[in-house]
Amino acid sequence: MENLEKAIEAIKEILPNLQLLENEPMRDHTSFKIGGPVRALAAPSSVDSLSKICYILKKYKIAPMMLGNGTNLLCPDEGMNDLFMMSTEKLQNMFLLPDGSIYAEAGVSLAKLATFAQQNGLTGLEFASGIPGTVGGGAIMNAGAYGGELKDCIQSIVFYYLPEQRLYEIDNEHCTFGYRHSIFQQMGGCVILSAVFHLEAGDKDEISAKMRDFNERRRDKQPLDLPSAGSAFRRPEGHYAAQLIDEAGLRGYSVGGAQVSEKHAGFIVNTGNATSHDVYELMDHVRHTVYDKFNVALAPEIIILPPDFKLEDNLPDVPLHNVAVNDMNFSGDTEKK
Ligand SMILES: Cc1cc2nc3c(=O)[nH]c(=O)nc-3n(C[C@H](O)[C@H](O)[C@H](O)COP(=O)(O)OP(=O)(O)OC[C@H]3O[C@@H](n4cnc5c(N)ncnc54)[C@H](O)[C@@H]3O)c2cc1C
């Protein structure tokens, strides 16, 4: 705690214009609208300031947690007084590379990325247009829908590795992407900065039609009018979580303000003033009931905070390319007021 306070003071001194919110309620930064204050929430607008922040955090042995759009998170009501969060909201550059692939920084929303691809007649990202996350959060989760996953179009990723304070580029084949899984989940202190997407040429109207169709299906099936963090549970092998929950008679079941959605039993929604404890209790009840009835163990897909990571050097033994800061196309290198 003492170290965190010292780190915050040092960061404020070095980057006086940095957007740094203190004791910021996470309910204002998550799609679930649940969660008490985090001690600090910084939003660097360049790799230069991000690396300065990381330098100070490492000095004080603090592992920061990254925040994208906060659409897969459940934060505790008690808050996280010992957590330094870093948001990618200001890393928003996106452009076409000479070979026709798309470069996008971590904070670009998947909706914006999919629209950019459509506008440039590139097909392959239609499935992502309705996923409410960012490039960074999507890559780490290998977000997917309607038969598509980000792993199908990511060519490479650049990440900052805090324990070594270096930038690396990793190719798709070494990211060990799987169902809602990537190699980055095991790397404490890994900050995804950008990704390059390789897509095929397609017809703009057909791409638009596909995006519209996926988004209509989403609106029809998902409770988009209520706060949630998407599917509460991962898909168990050979089953669909929503179907098991429904067949267990739990559709509409609620604890406090948390409810198994009436519209889609795979979602837990916040019907008003849900607390994180309402959601924990509800998820527990769902898991026990489904296990008792079907002998299937459901695992959460939602990331339940606080995080359990340490600042250890555990870079995986896979081919990585060093990247110089100057090679990056980040928007500016100083914080502006
Ligand atoms: C209504 C709704 C519908 C959804 N539908 C889908 C769907 O169809 N398919 C699907 O896969 N998901 C879906 N989700 C879940 C969610 O949108 C995805 O998991 C998404 O990829 C999370 O991105 P995010 O930017 O919000 O990440 P966050 O929730 O902010 O963070 C998720 C994790 O990624 C880490 N992280 C974020 N950015 C970075 C970074 N730059 N570097 C390192 N780590 C980072 C965070 O620390 C955290 O561990 C849905 C959610 C909602 C609310």
Side-chain angles (χ1 to χ4, degrees):
M1 276 294 261
E2 202 186 308
N3 271 6
L4 178 56
E5 295 310 315
K6 285 184 187 157
I8 291 172
E9 282 319 304
I11 289 166
K12 285 203 270 194
E13 204 169 301
I14 288 188
L15 296 167
N17 295 324
L18 173 73
Q19 177 182 304
L20 196 154
L21 307 172
E22 295 187 54
N23 306 312
E24 181 66 10
M26 286 308 294
R27 73 179 68 84
D28 295 345
H29 297 272
T30 55
S31 56
F32 229 153
K33 307 280 173 235
I34 295 175
V38 65
R39 178 64 191 94
L41 175 56
S45 56
S46 68
V47 75
D48 178 64
S49 31
L50 185 137
S51 52
K52 281 178 183 147
I53 296 171
C54 289
Y55 176 83
I56 295 167
L57 293 176
K58 187 182 177 203
K59 186 171 156 204
Y60 288 102
K61 300 189 173 48
I62 290 162
M65 178 181 159
M66 294 308 297
L67 177 68
N69 277 346
T71 60
N72 206 28
L73 303 179
L74 175 59
C75 298
D77 309 317
E78 311 62 70
M80 295 176 282
N81 279 332
D82 53 354
L83 195 62
F84 190 100
M85 265 203 184
M86 216 163 13
S87 157
T88 54
E89 68 182 86
K90 294 196 171 175
L91 301 180
Q92 290 289 339
N93 266 351
M94 175 166 60
F95 48 81
L96 273 185
L97 290 166
D99 67 354
S101 48
I102 299 177
Y103 167 93
E105 285 182 358
V108 172
S109 73
L110 294 174
K112 229 168 126 183
L113 173 70
T115 302
F116 185 74
Q118 183 279 331
Q119 286 165 346
N120 286 285
L122 294 169
T123 180
L125 273 167
E126 295 87 334
F127 74 90
S129 69
I131 303 178
T134 57
V135 165
I140 203 161
M141 298 302 293
N142 183 26
Y146 305 112
E149 287 177 303
L150 285 188
K151 76 170 173 57
D152 303 333
C153 37
I154 286 177
Q155 184 174 301
S156 60
I157 287 178
V158 169
F159 66 93
Y160 183 92
Y161 188 56
L162 198 145
E164 292 183 3
Q165 311 211 320
R166 294 176 81 158
L167 288 175
Y168 288 108
E169 184 176 18
I170 182 169
D171 296 329
N172 177 314
E173 63 194 286
H174 302 298
C175 292
T176 55
F177 284 124
Y179 170 63
R180 302 295 171 268
H181 175 82
S182 73
I183 198 167
F184 310 106
Q185 292 170 5
Q186 271 84 56
M187 279 191 245
C190 160
V191 179
I192 293 179
L193 295 172
S194 64
V196 171
F197 294 85
H198 177 76
L199 301 162
E200 302 296 327
D203 177 82
K204 286 185 187 178
D205 293 336
E206 280 175 24
I207 300 169
S208 282
K210 216 166 162 183
M211 281 163 65
R212 257 197 319 276
D213 172 44
F214 287 155
N215 286 330
E216 268 164 32
R217 286 204 241 165
R218 223 174 245 281
R219 275 193 297 275
D220 278 354
K221 297 246 160 62
Q222 298 183 359
L224 301 183
D225 53 333
L226 287 171
S228 79
S231 297
F233 298 98
R234 295 168 67 84
R235 195 175 57 228
E237 212 161 320
H239 301 273
Y240 288 102
Q243 192 180 354
L244 294 174
I245 296 167
D246 199 13
E247 287 173 6
L250 291 168
R251 189 183 282 257
Y253 185 89
S254 52
V255 174
Q259 184 188 45
V260 174
S261 165
E262 297 272 9
K263 194 165 178 182
H264 187 311
F267 280 59
I268 288 180
V269 290
N270 177 356
T271 57
N273 297 313
T275 64
S276 59
H277 289 269
D278 292 341
V279 182
Y280 307 146
E281 212 181 298
L282 180 56
M283 287 179 81
D284 253 15
H285 181 76
V286 169
R287 291 176 71 188
H288 282 116
T289 311
V290 166
Y291 190 78
D292 289 348
K293 287 212 168 184
F294 305 111
N295 206 20
V296 177
L298 292 179
E301 179 165 328
I302 294 175
I303 297 172
I304 298 173
L305 298 182
D308 177 25
F309 51 60
K310 293 184 191 71
L311 205 50
E312 284 165 0
D313 199 338
N314 60 355
L315 198 64
D317 187 17
V318 295
L320 297 166
H321 319 286
N322 284 308
V323 180
V325 175
N326 313 0
D327 292 347
M328 306 291 301
N329 295 291
F330 279 90
S331 30
D333 60 359
T334 49
E335 294 298 327
K336 296 184 190 76
K337 258 215 183 318

